[in-house]
């Protein structure tokens, strides 16, 4: 039976530390502010944004929400970003993805001031991640590294397999594992013999976006399994990319959904926002 890697436990410790850093900044006359932009009516995005705002409040970060209608033009959105780039009370800018289809997401990301890019999605920050010298780390991969550290799980020399090659999770995850001296492989929808690859993993990160995609027969005995998925199954229940009930019998460590990676993603957003001021 695997030991649970609890994002709630690691988050609580980290958020306490962040709260103290915000207090210290406040004592020095500095406020910490995050602008959160949401465009349209995506219900999952609404839940994420509400959770992010609530987490800000809990640690003393001021959050400023900009909820824009679905029909907002790219020009209007870029004009808001230009205004927030200049706004001194705004230290971090987060534009919740996905954006409506008529807006070019990369163009939006490219227009956020890299020093306020708390998602670390801007090419400037992505480049720094490649080099291994950075201010901001993308929140989900950074949160996963914090969890591994908290549970004393060493990456050095380990075979790490990441399923998923998104710019938000898969690619930066691979870079962070590599920086910690893991032997890293990225698998994706075109990978041949995926099961052969995943069975070689000491550390397996699933960022696929498909409910119960990783089954027990794909996991090596004693592997560490990290589940980035956030899906609804046929009964409407929240579940990850990993079939938890069966994989927990094979893995040595596993993250649950909910209560695993999710809370850490938000915690690392808070970390980046405070770092933007510090
Ligand atoms: N949509 C899903 N995850 C994220 C994230 O980490 N940041 C932003 N901005 N949008 C997202």
């Amino acid at each position: 039976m695997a030991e649970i890697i609890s994002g709630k436990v690691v988050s609580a410790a980290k958020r306490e530390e962040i709260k103290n850093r915000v207090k210290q900044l406040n004592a020095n006359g500095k406020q910490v502010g995050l602008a959160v932009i949401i465009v349209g009516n995506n219900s999952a995005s609404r839940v994420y944004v509400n959770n992010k705002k609530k987490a800000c409040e809990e640690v003393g970060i001021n959050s400023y929400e900009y909820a824009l209608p679905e029909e907002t033009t790219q020009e209007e959105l870029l004009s808001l970003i230009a205004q927030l780039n200049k706004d001194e009370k705004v230290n971090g800018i987060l534009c919740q993805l996905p954006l409506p289809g008529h807006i070019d997401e990369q163009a939006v990301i490219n227009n956020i001031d890299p020093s306020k890019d708390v998602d670390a999605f801007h090419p400037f920050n992505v480049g720094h991640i490649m080099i291994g010298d950075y201010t901001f780390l993308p929140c989900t991969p950074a949160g996963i590294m914090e969890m591994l550290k908290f549970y004393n799980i060493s990456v050095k020399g380990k075979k790490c397999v990441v399923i998923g090659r998104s710019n938000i999770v898969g690619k930066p995850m691979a870079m962070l594992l590599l920086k910690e001296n893991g032997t890293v492989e990225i698998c994706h929808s075109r990978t041949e013999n995926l099961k052969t690859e995943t069975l070689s993993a000491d550390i397996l990160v699933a960022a696929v976006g498909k409910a119960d995609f990783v089954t027990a027969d794909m996991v090596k005995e004693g592997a560490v399994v990290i589940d980035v998925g956030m899906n609804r199954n046929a009964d409407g229940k929240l579940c990850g990319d990993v079939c938890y009930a069966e994989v927990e019998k094979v893995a040595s460590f596993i993250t649950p959904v909910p209560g695993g990676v999710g809370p850490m993603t938000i915690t690392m957003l808070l970390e980046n926002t405070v770092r933007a001021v510090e």
Side-chain angles (χ1 to χ4, degrees):
M1 205 73 136
E3 185 176 336
I4 292 175
I5 299 179
S6 169
K8 284 191 199 159
V9 170
V10 186
S11 275
K14 185 83 191 157
R15 288 188 197 190
E16 204 47 43
E17 175 214 306
I18 292 170
K19 201 173 178 175
N20 288 329
R21 281 156 64 194
V22 174
K23 271 195 198 139
Q24 188 63 48
L25 287 165
N26 291 163
N28 294 333
K30 288 185 184 143
Q31 291 288 308
V32 184
L34 175 69
V36 182
I37 306 169
I38 176 169
V39 186
N41 309 309
N42 182 316
S43 57
S45 289
R46 175 37 72 194
V47 173
Y48 292 138
V49 163
N50 287 350
N51 289 342
K52 287 170 184 180
K53 281 167 47 192
K54 188 160 158 261
C56 281
E57 264 169 44
E58 281 167 12
V59 298
I61 294 175
N62 305 317
S63 72
Y64 308 101
E65 181 180 309
Y66 296 84
L68 308 180
E70 182 83 20
E71 54 284 3
T72 301
T73 64
Q74 183 164 319
E75 203 180 9
E76 285 165 335
L77 181 53
L78 294 183
S79 144
L80 170 63
I81 287 172
Q83 173 200 321
L84 296 173
N85 282 340
K86 282 190 247 148
D87 190 334
E88 285 185 6
K89 71 178 187 303
V90 171
N91 307 104
I93 302 170
L94 176 137
C95 183
Q96 187 66 27
L97 305 178
L99 290 168
H102 64 278
I103 298 178
D104 175 356
E105 286 187 354
Q106 195 59 50
V108 171
I109 291 165
N110 292 354
N111 276 276
I112 294 175
D113 181 333
S115 71
K116 296 190 177 188
D117 170 37
V118 285
D119 267 322
F121 292 166
H122 190 287
F124 177 89
N125 289 317
V126 174
H128 275 278
I129 293 158
M130 283 292 289
I131 296 165
D133 134 41
Y134 30 68
T135 309
F136 298 131
L137 284 179
C139 302
T140 299
I144 291 169
M145 297 311 287
E146 286 281 328
M147 288 198 287
L148 294 176
K149 201 161 81 183
F150 190 93
Y151 284 85
N152 290 318
I153 298 166
S154 170
V155 173
K156 187 176 166 187
K158 297 283 165 56
K159 176 73 183 287
C160 306
V161 175
V162 180
I163 321 176
R165 56 175 156 178
S166 70
N167 290 336
I168 295 183
V169 183
K171 287 185 208 167
M173 186 74 251
M175 296 316 301
L176 301 197
L177 291 165
L178 185 61
K179 181 145 198 288
E180 292 305 317
N181 300 308
T183 301
V184 184
E185 176 179 323
I186 304 181
C187 296
H188 47 79
S189 56
R190 310 283 166 85
T191 297
E192 291 182 5
N193 304 318
L194 178 65
K195 187 175 153 184
T196 309
E197 305 305 330
T198 60
L199 275 171
S200 73
D202 301 309
I203 298 175
L204 180 62
V205 180
V208 188
K210 287 189 184 147
D212 297 337
F213 182 83
V214 175
T215 45
D217 60 324
M218 295 168 72
V219 178
K220 180 162 87 175
E221 184 83 37
V224 175
V225 178
I226 307 292
D227 190 350
V228 182
M230 193 69 89
N231 315 295
R232 299 259 169 208
N233 66 12
D235 306 327
K237 207 174 143 234
L238 201 60
C239 66
D241 291 346
V242 175
C243 192
Y244 186 91
E246 43 179 89
V247 172
E248 71 155 345
K249 298 193 179 100
V250 183
S252 59
F253 287 90
I254 189 166
T255 62
V257 176
V261 173
M264 286 308 296
T265 297
I266 298 185
T267 301
M268 300 319 284
L269 170 70
L270 305 175
E271 163 73 30
N272 282 345
T273 308
V274 174
R275 200 174 276 192
V277 181
E278 288 171 343

